[in-house]
Amino acid sequence: MNVYDSNRMAVMLENMGLVKTQNQRDADVVIFNTCHIREKAAEKVFSDLGRAYLIKQERLENGKDTIIGVTGCVVQAEDKEILKRAPYVDFALGPLRYFRLKEVVEAIFNEREKQLLDTQFSAVSKFDFLPENKSESGCSYLAIQEGCNNFCTYCVVPYTRGVEVSRPVEDVLNEAKRLVQTGSLELNLLGQNVNSYHGEDASGKERNLAYLLNKIAEIDGLQRIRYTTSYPADVDDDLIQCHKNIVKLMPYLHLPIQSGSDAILKKMNRRHTRDDYLRVVEKLKEANPNIGMSSDFIVGFPGETDEDFQQTLDVVNRVKYIQAFSFKYSRRPGTPAAVMDGQIDEKVKKDRLQILQDLLFSYQTKFNLDSIGKVMPVLFENKGRHKGQLVGRTPYMQNLHAEVDNSFLNKIVEVRVTDASTNSLSGEVI
Ligand code: SAH
Ligand code: SF4
């Protein structure tokens, strides 16, 4: 979601005549779009800001000023504190307020405002005020839903992104068409809780994610569709059928379970049990036997016993995830879990994370090794580390490197996989 928001901000700044630079020392405007989900990400912002301030001072000695802005969830959570901790920040906009970027940058530039903070939870939708989006590469994100009403007890999202809002069907379709017209072959539909999407169509009728996926699949020129992140309790039968019927929908689904223990899921205020989750995975595999699953996990949630943790490992052994993201529980101020009894020792969290990641990596590595010899369509998205190399994605979100020239960039090409490791594949274009 932050990548999507950052891209939209980049388009706004480009429309103002600004150009991107590779070197921060050249930048007249620097914006940090921030994440508050775990403590580490949130704290990093302040060290990054400190470094930006040093560069600002250096540039001032050469007669150049720099506007420093902060956007995203750290702004929403810290509010006035952000200007106290980093008083040299020129503006700070919450994740629902960055549509004001042009006006705010101009006001600071023209010295109409000295400093500006806006963390309103607006009644208006920011999407109504953003300029038309355009594709930056062959693969684009498209936000269809924002905010969350689930209030998992560890999570800051409902407090920083606000209540759940779905964009109207027509708005999403227009943005999707525009992204495809400007070069996207793949769209990744985004929402904090994307499968609870319930946007209105032109006649005012509420439509679900399955309806939207079918509509988007009709767009000529679009070849791949993904959606993320889904909430297990909101996977309905319509959505499962999409994995059977929509050819453009990639056979990969990120469906976070967080923990395999019912006791912990309950304390997390997740609206599903471990069996509910496993049943959904089973149905998805019935709809498309080739589907690869991915998940998020939190280890060391307050009260998590060795037995609870074993239950998480057991789910991994059953589902055999082809990719996953796993984190040590991070205590977030203002969330219910932060003040729960039974906070887990850092060393125990670290050990559990290691054990979990070793197991997850073993399945991921096996899946990647099993890909050797197969031919897969790869969307080349980026230049590789070496000259003459491009990096792309397989339908299963695996990174694949190949020695091919830049003319293959932003194209989908058949590739034979020749080698594999835990994190990536190599292949030859055929
Ligand atoms: N809406 C998505 C997740 C959004 S947050 C969902 O419900 O699945 C992305 C991931 O960050 C979460 O899935 C969770 O694994 C992790 N996360 C969120 N809060 C956390 C915390 N306090 N400590 C550790 N990990 C956290
Ligand atoms: Fe956070 Fe996801 Fe739970 Fe919403 S559903 S509170 S975003 S973890």
Side-chain angles (χ1 to χ4, degrees), residues 148 150-152 154-155 157-158 192 231 258 270:
C148 183
N150 281 325
F151 290 93
C152 299
Y154 50 83
C155 183
V157 168
Q192 265 81 37
Y231 189 77
Q258 314 297 355
R270 300 283 289 184

Side-chain angles (χ1 to χ4, degrees), residues 176-213:
K177 283 176 195 156
R178 169 119 179 105
L179 288 169
V180 173
Q181 276 161 9
T182 52
S184 287
L185 301 173
E186 174 177 315
L187 293 180
N188 195 339
L189 310 186
L190 297 181
Q192 265 81 37
N193 189 2
V194 73
N195 57 327
S196 77
Y197 176 84
H198 52 88
E200 283 187 3
D201 70 8
S203 68
K205 190 166 178 217
E206 275 198 2
R207 300 293 193 167
N208 62 10
L209 179 61
Y211 177 89
L212 191 66
L213 286 171

Side-chain angles (χ1 to χ4, degrees), residues 380-392:
F380 285 109
E381 292 170 38
N382 288 304
K383 291 183 185 159
R385 243 181 264 151
H386 317 293
K387 211 168 171 249
Q389 188 189 51
L390 295 181
V391 192

Side-chain angles (χ1 to χ4, degrees), residues 24 33 127 161 178 205 240-241 257 269 291 317 425:
Q24 204 181 309
N33 191 24
F127 297 104
R161 292 263 177 183
R178 169 119 179 105
K205 190 166 178 217
I240 291 172
Q241 283 310 303
I257 186 170
N269 192 32
I291 201 162
N317 284 322
L425 309 177

Side-chain angles (χ1 to χ4, degrees), residues 274-288:
R274 141 208 189 87
D275 279 352
D276 295 336
Y277 179 90
L278 291 172
R279 257 195 305 276
V280 169
V281 173
E282 209 173 290
K283 283 192 194 171
L284 284 160
K285 288 194 169 170
E286 271 166 33
N288 181 355

Side-chain angles (χ1 to χ4, degrees), residues 279-322:
R279 257 195 305 276
V280 169
V281 173
E282 209 173 290
K283 283 192 194 171
L284 284 160
K285 288 194 169 170
E286 271 166 33
N288 181 355
N290 293 324
I291 201 162
M293 300 298 301
S294 144
S295 177
D296 291 341
F297 297 92
I298 296 176
V299 298
F301 186 82
E304 186 187 67
T305 62
D306 277 332
E307 233 154 67
D308 292 319
F309 177 60
Q310 287 303 322
Q311 294 279 304
T312 298
L313 299 180
D314 182 65
V315 165
V316 174
N317 284 322
R318 282 166 195 259
V319 179
K320 302 183 174 58
Y321 295 96
I322 66 169

